[in-house]
Amino acid sequence: MPLLAIDNVSVSYGKAEAVRDVSLQVEKGQIVTVIGPNGAGKTSLLMAAIGLLRSTGRIIYDGRDISRLETEERIEMGFCLVPERRELFSDLSVYDNLRLGAYSRRAASGEIKDDIAQVFDRFPRLLERRNQMAGTLSGGERQMLALGRALMARPRLLMLDEPSLGLAPLITREIFRIIASLRDLGVSILLVEQNARAALETADFGYVMETGEIVHSGSADALMHDPRLIATYMGGSEVS
Amino acid sequence: MTPDIAAILALDGIATGAIYVLMALGFVLIFAVTRVVFVPFGDIAAFTALTLAALELGRLPGTVGLVIGLAVLATLMELYSILRAGSYERIPRALLFYLVLPVAIAGLVWITSGTLWPMPFRIALALLLILPVAPLLDRIVYRPIADASVLLLLTVSVALHFALVGLGLLFFGPDGARTESLTDAMFMLGNIPISGQTILIVVAAAIFCGLLYLFFDFTLLGKALHATALNRTGARLMGIRPERSGTIAYLAGSVLAGVSGILIAPVNTIFYDSGFLLGLKAFVGAIIGGLISFPVTAIGSIFVGLLESFASFQSSAFKEVIVFSVLIPVLLWRSYTFQHTEEDMDE
């Protein structure tokens, strides 16, 4: 049984359909990526999965239909989203942002302190900035904080929307290294990216989305060597 | 004006200003979390004063009927939206918070209203009874339009204020009321008399400012409210329900409105429609703080109180004119500085 099954989901803005009959699955422990150009409906798909956008179709998480649940209830089930805009609390400190990341867990403060310490282990840069306001961080640090804050919820399934957006190549590589390492924590990941090559290198399975529909799918390895995709999404010739 | 008179006016102004501080903090709190300029804030303060006055006379306060009516309406609306969403497991909780608790409070006041209780108990009853009004109004009026623009929310607020004034006349009648003074103590500072009432007002304002500060800086719930104010989507993604943050903001605002109503009741005669002017002056203080900053709001409200006090000495007929004329330069200054912060955010 997959951890997440998106089943014939459509999202419309008025008459315009942003997502049309999309179905995809994320198995436990997998990193699954959805790649595709700007405007393909990838962000709308994630927003619908977390319940911030209305959609039709079914969203099955851990065997349960969560289509009618509120966003907050989905979060409480360990299903989390790091959105494209990060949505940090700019006037709160790095520490407070992380603390609020665990809001849905209602855990003892000792346990939460341990988890914050673990996030600081993973992102030493955040430890240096722990009392700084989130709004003063650099782009890479903001992404690290968004990831760290999401980890504080102890997610079982984490959706990441364009984690490399606007980041320098060196930091992008660092972020993808961290994403790959989350799999060892037992976190399953649904990763939406325009940076197709980096995403497929990290993922196990991939879907290609164009104008609201899934047009290809396959193992990340197969997609990476698919000549049609190389031409469109990976900028020309295959690198072996 | 002799220095003595100036000192007396200043003390008076600080006391009035302290009441405005309480109300203005409520404005800022509710606006920050819900984006609603809660115009009926002053009405709630006035209703608290009238409730306390009724309890003093051993009468049943009109607030009882108001609370029960609002509770029934809010419950029906909540049930309707629950049934539409098909999430039946939320029904018991909705009944508890929207019907059972408010009606229980109203019932308690109803049962006890024939007896003349000591003053602290009466004050506690009045505060308790006013507590559900703002959260219920939030459920009935604002939640269905929570995603609307600030301008629409403000327009609705103004309409709600007029509706409440009408309800105030219905439930409390046209007579004004002034309650017993909270204390008759009198102190002398040199040759300037300071009433215990003044000290009480200032101390109460200071205590509530302190509590708000502690709440926002040291509790998880306070931080969750702050987070909701900063970024609603971000808050929802942490599992923080903006509606619940809003309810807590309205509850805290009700306490502030209630306390200011109780503090002002022995000083001014309060009518069913006195709330608007009180609220509007506090709103000037809140505007000075840009509806964001708690400390600047407090300073601004004290300033309004002082200005009112000195203006009423100089030419009492023009007191309101002088106070509200100050709003114009403040608004100009605010709109000038506000543009700058927006530019900063885009960078």
Side-chain angles (χ1 to χ4, degrees), chain A residues 53-90:
Chain A
L53 272 184
R54 274 167 178 271
S55 60
T56 59
R58 295 197 311 160
I59 298 150
I60 315 286
Y61 172 78
D62 202 16
R64 186 175 162 197
D65 187 349
I66 59 167
S67 317
R68 308 196 76 154
L69 296 186
E70 293 170 13
T71 298
E72 293 85 351
E73 291 171 297
R74 303 182 200 203
I75 308 292
E76 280 158 12
M77 296 169 75
F79 181 26
C80 298
L81 167 69
V82 177
E84 189 178 341
R85 292 161 47 96
R86 325 298 195 227
E87 311 287 6
L88 297 172
F89 305 123
S90 52

Side-chain angles (χ1 to χ4, degrees), chain B residues 48-133:
Chain B
T48 317
L50 292 171
T51 304
L52 183 61
L55 289 175
E56 256 173 23
L57 297 173
R59 289 204 208 123
L60 182 67
T63 336
V64 168
L66 182 68
V67 166
I68 292 176
L70 291 176
V72 169
L73 198 55
T75 308
L76 289 176
M77 290 181 70
E78 182 70 11
L79 285 179
Y80 177 70
S81 61
I82 287 176
L83 293 181
R84 256 183 48 157
S87 36
Y88 305 107
E89 71 284 354
R90 278 163 47 201
I91 290 178
R93 193 190 166 90
L95 286 179
L96 175 67
F97 282 100
Y98 289 112
L99 192 64
V100 176
L101 282 179
V103 171
I105 293 173
L108 176 71
V109 176
W110 198 326
I111 292 165
T112 53
S113 66
T115 331
L116 278 179
W117 302 91
M119 191 191 289
F121 189 72
R122 287 198 301 261
I123 291 175
L125 270 186
L127 278 177
L128 200 60
L129 187 58
I130 212 68
L131 210 53
V133 173

Side-chain angles (χ1 to χ4, degrees), chain A:
Chain A
M1 188 181 66
L3 183 57
L4 175 73
I6 290 177
D7 193 12
N8 284 315
V9 164
S10 300
V11 179
S12 322
Y13 298 93
K15 279 192 174 162
E17 237 181 0
V19 176
R20 194 175 321 123
D21 279 339
V22 166
S23 298
L24 62 80
Q25 294 178 351
V26 182
E27 300 288 339
K28 280 196 183 96
Q30 257 191 345
I31 299 182
V32 173
T33 185
V34 179
I35 57 175
N38 212 349
K42 307 185 300 288
T43 295
S44 300
L45 180 65
L46 294 194
M47 300 286 267
I50 205 71
L52 288 174
L53 272 184
R54 274 167 178 271
S55 60
T56 59
R58 295 197 311 160
I59 298 150
I60 315 286
Y61 172 78
D62 202 16
R64 186 175 162 197
D65 187 349
I66 59 167
S67 317
R68 308 196 76 154
L69 296 186
E70 293 170 13
T71 298
E72 293 85 351
E73 291 171 297
R74 303 182 200 203
I75 308 292
E76 280 158 12
M77 296 169 75
F79 181 26
C80 298
L81 167 69
V82 177
E84 189 178 341
R85 292 161 47 96
R86 325 298 195 227
E87 311 287 6
L88 297 172
F89 305 123
S90 52
D91 275 1
L92 289 177
S93 68
V94 165
Y95 188 90
D96 283 344
N97 268 274
L98 292 175
R99 176 69 192 79
L100 284 167
Y103 185 85
S104 60
R105 279 169 50 198
R106 300 186 174 89
S109 66
E111 200 181 314
I112 285 168
K113 278 195 180 121
D114 291 349
D115 282 8
I116 291 180
Q118 278 182 26
V119 170
F120 283 148
D121 278 350
R122 199 173 284 274
F123 305 99
R125 195 91 70 88
L126 294 182
L127 181 60
E128 292 165 30
R129 307 256 188 270
R130 58 173 285 165
N131 293 321
Q132 223 169 293
M133 296 291 138
T136 65
L137 300 180
S138 72
E141 289 162 352
R142 292 169 64 83
Q143 184 57 47
M144 290 177 193
L145 179 55
L147 270 173
R149 189 180 64 167
L151 289 177
M152 288 300 299
R154 290 208 180 160
R156 294 170 59 208
L157 177 66
L158 187 56
M159 301 194 294
L160 305 172
D161 195 356
E162 304 277 3
S164 75
L165 191 76
L167 301 185
L170 208 64
I171 299 169
T172 301
R173 208 171 307 157
E174 168 78 3
I175 292 285
F176 275 101
R177 193 187 56 72
I178 291 162
I179 292 170
S181 76
L182 294 182
R183 184 171 20 197
D184 307 329
L185 278 180
V187 183
S188 312
I189 291 169
L190 179 59
L191 170 66
V192 155
E193 259 295 341
Q194 281 191 64
N195 185 343
R197 188 181 297 280
L200 289 172
E201 276 169 2
T202 317
D204 303 297
F205 199 87
Y207 293 88
V208 182
M209 207 168 161
E210 280 174 13
T211 57
E213 289 176 298
I214 302 276
V215 291
H216 297 287
S217 64
S219 75
D221 220 35
L223 289 179
M224 213 164 6
H225 298 98
D226 187 323
R228 291 169 301 178
L229 297 184
I230 291 169
T232 326
Y233 298 114
M234 281 168 271
S237 62
E238 184 179 351
V239 183
S240 51

